[in-house]
Amino acid sequence: MSSNQIKNTRYKSNTGQTRWASVEEMQRSATKVDLSAPVYPTGGIPVMSDGHTAYLDGRDTHTLIFGATGSKKTRLFCMPTINMFIRAGESFVVTDPKAELYVRTAGFAKDHGYKVVVLNFRDIGYGDMWDPLALPYEYYYSGRRDEANNLVNDLAATLSAPQKENSSDLLYPMMAEGLLTANMYLLFEAAAAENAVNLRSLTALCSQSSLESLKTLSGKMNNQNTIGMLFKGTLLGENEKTVSSIMTVLYGMVNIFNMNKRLTDMLCSNTFDIRMFGHEKTAVYIIVPDEKTTCHFLVTMFIKQVYEILIGEAQRQAKLALPIRVNFVLDEFCNIPKIPDMPSMISAARSRNMRFYLVAQSIHQLKGRYGEDADTIKGNCDNWIFLTSRERDLLNEISFLCGEIDAWGPGGAEKRKLISVTELQRFNKEKGECLILHGRQYPFITYMADIDEYPDFANYQVIPIPPIEIPHPNTFDVVKFTTKFAFAPEGVPFSNPD
């Protein structure tokens, strides 16, 4: 390994409470990989790399990468790490706002036998289709009712989150969320015969035009019926003004599906099976515009559903872990809406053979999105990588975590920071200088190779995102369905066994 490329630029002897880790200590704590080898023993983020040889963290650990815009987070870490996943045969799900990760790594993945999935919210009609209701519906009727309920609740929570965040009164958003959940169950029970369990039908049910039909249905349902209880508590238990306000909030939750019909149709069919991510090598790229936030909630919805489904798959394995490791590389992690239960997700993922790589610009951004949960997320990340920032809180925290040393000043012995805030702001971007807090090792500063310095990753093939034929789905006709049972006695329309 080239000594002028990989070195600890600030190694010091132990003169106090802390010190810099040596190159040898870092090498012993990681897995050495010859980057020209066709297969790697493990995938993981490099903690040392000169483009020819790398030392990877192949453990079941999570990683937090901090760097301001333009700090080369993607080129120094995301792109090389994805290529290393591919050589190790590990699945991955990546957020890819500019499609640059797809351009640089998708061809490499395809050449190595990967199934390549592209959720393209930038150019609808190119890539793959995903139906968020398909697996909850399948589980609902296959005896996996608890898992179906969890997935339905997750979908409702994700769709209602913006309304909750922007409301000073949580009553209406909470009631609208309950009604949204009821509508999903209504689809499972009533729309199956019409092959109309999809987001287009859900959007129609959430409109004011369906209100009277839903009221009629709720009046016919048995009080022991889950759907009936949810409907009656909202539609029949409140005055007209309150119900109208709830419906307005509800419609706001699904309005994008009404406004963007092509996007909605794309979300009414499946071209892949999420359950297979942990069973066969799969590369998943989520391309979403970073210049506008319209579709960002879909990223949150997808990641949450993938995680929950893979947890279920892991529980069915003899070792309670996925056969193939799945890595989540979430670039611009704090720019997508808050992922529900993220602290518990990141805590439980490790033992199921899943890892998270979270890329953020600042601690302020992380706290702004996750509030008090930000500390839990940080605490569960064994690796912290710092590139550059002007944010005082982040600089102070990194400096604090690196510790203090005993030093001599004008007044005699004193404590000094191992690295000061001023020094942290002066890393050499062109050389890829960064600070790494790795596991239980002392802090380490090194130069990391740029993706163009990896000869074995240089000859990448750019594969076009294939066009898709998006079918027009059936839509559940709630008026027709209600009319059919207009004179039926209470509790007749359908049953909902719990």
Side-chain angles (χ1 to χ4, degrees), residues 9 11 36 102 322 369 445:
T9 57
Y11 173 72
S36 63
Y102 175 87
L322 297 173
R369 181 64 71 195
I445 295 180

Side-chain angles (χ1 to χ4, degrees), residues 5 31 117 249 281 372:
Q5 287 292 321
T31 301
V117 173
V249 174
K281 298 186 298 184
E372 294 180 359

Side-chain angles (χ1 to χ4, degrees), residues 60 62 307-308 310-311 314-315 320-322 341-356 376 380:
D60 57 347
H62 307 304
Y307 174 86
E308 292 294 342
L310 292 182
I311 285 287
Q315 292 300 111
L320 302 179
L322 297 173
D341 305 317
M342 187 64 196
S344 60
M345 286 171 59
I346 203 168
S347 299
R350 298 164 69 167
S351 62
R352 271 73 169 203
N353 211 15
M354 290 186 280
R355 293 185 297 191
F356 282 92
T376 304
N380 277 284

Side-chain angles (χ1 to χ4, degrees), residues 150-328:
N150 288 337
L151 294 175
V152 166
N153 291 334
D154 285 341
L155 290 173
T158 302
L159 288 170
S160 65
Q163 299 288 338
K164 292 177 183 176
E165 290 177 2
N166 298 322
S167 176
S168 57
D169 184 355
L170 291 179
L171 176 63
Y172 290 157
M174 292 297 293
M175 297 186 75
E177 182 180 332
L179 189 53
L180 178 63
T181 302
N183 281 338
M184 283 190 264
Y185 286 131
L186 174 61
L187 287 180
F188 293 173
E189 290 283 351
E194 303 175 24
N195 192 28
V197 180
N198 54 56
L199 279 178
R200 183 177 282 277
S201 295
L202 182 63
T203 303
L205 283 178
C206 295
S207 66
Q208 287 279 1
S209 61
S210 297
L211 178 57
E212 291 307 317
S213 295
L214 291 176
K215 283 183 177 180
T216 301
L217 276 179
S218 62
K220 299 286 186 181
M221 292 178 188
N222 191 298
N223 288 332
Q224 302 305 313
N225 184 291
T226 300
I227 305 173
M229 289 189 292
L230 288 168
F231 276 138
K232 288 182 178 182
T234 303
L235 300 180
L236 302 183
E238 301 292 339
N239 61 50
E240 289 297 321
K241 183 177 180 181
T242 300
V243 171
S244 179
S245 298
I246 293 170
M247 290 298 295
T248 300
V249 174
L250 176 63
Y251 189 67
M253 294 177 182
V254 298
N255 187 47
I256 185 174
F257 303 124
N258 184 60
M259 299 295 293
N260 193 331
K261 301 292 188 182
R262 192 160 171 78
L263 170 66
T264 305
D265 289 350
M266 170 193 166
L267 296 169
C268 291
S269 298
N270 272 327
T271 55
F272 58 90
D273 189 340
I274 290 173
R275 291 168 293 192
M276 297 309 295
F277 294 177
H279 297 277
E280 63 181 27
K281 298 186 298 184
T282 310
V284 184
Y285 300 86
I286 310 171
I287 299 173
V288 60
D290 57 347
E291 70 274 10
K292 54 185 178 180
T293 62
T294 310
C295 291
H296 283 190
F297 77 98
L298 292 170
V299 181
T300 297
M301 186 186 296
F302 180 72
I303 291 168
K304 179 60 171 170
Q305 186 169 103
V306 169
Y307 174 86
E308 292 294 342
I309 289 170
L310 292 182
I311 285 287
E313 287 299 300
Q315 292 300 111
R316 284 168 172 74
Q317 307 305 309
K319 296 182 179 179
L320 302 179
L322 297 173
I324 292 178
R325 179 185 277 163
V326 178
N327 302 276
F328 294 84

